Amino acid sequence: MFPVLANTATFTSEVTLFNSNPTDVTVGLGYYDANNLPSPGAKTCSDVVVPANRSVQFALPAQCTLEAGSHFGVLTVTDVQTKLNLANDK
């Protein structure tokens, strides 16, 4: 979890994810705009593939759909495979 990310006219957070595993990992992103913004709550984000023993870097608007204006909030990162395994166990 990244507790505070921002995307404003003067500042954009950069996120770096590192995969120390010997195989690629696909991670799901969940971004939630803060409550005091015009459109608070969950935003649609694309999954990110992190290659084996590599890192990827991205800015929030490159992965998540954001309306015009300033944004700040929380980003969660979840291993998609683990999420799928948990769903299949139920």
Side-chain angles (χ1 to χ4, degrees):
M1 177 185 299
F2 294 83
V4 179
L5 289 182
N7 186 65
T8 69
T10 58
F11 184 83
T12 299
S13 296
E14 293 280 331
V15 176
T16 302
L17 303 174
F18 177 71
N19 175 13
S20 61
N21 295 302
T23 58
D24 295 354
V25 174
T26 301
V27 294
L29 302 177
Y31 174 71
Y32 304 86
D33 252 344
N35 287 338
N36 59 341
L37 292 175
S39 181
K43 305 300 176 200
T44 303
C45 298
S46 301
D47 291 349
V48 176
V49 176
V50 185
N53 298 307
R54 302 288 305 262
S55 62
V56 294
Q57 186 175 37
F58 59 88
L60 190 59
Q63 294 302 127
C64 301
T65 303
L66 303 175
E67 301 87 12
S70 293
H71 297 272
F72 66 93
V74 175
L75 179 71
T76 61
V77 179
T78 308
D79 181 344
V80 171
Q81 185 60 42
T82 300
K83 197 174 181 180
L84 289 174
N85 288 342
L86 291 174
N88 290 334
D89 287 343
K90 292 182 180 182

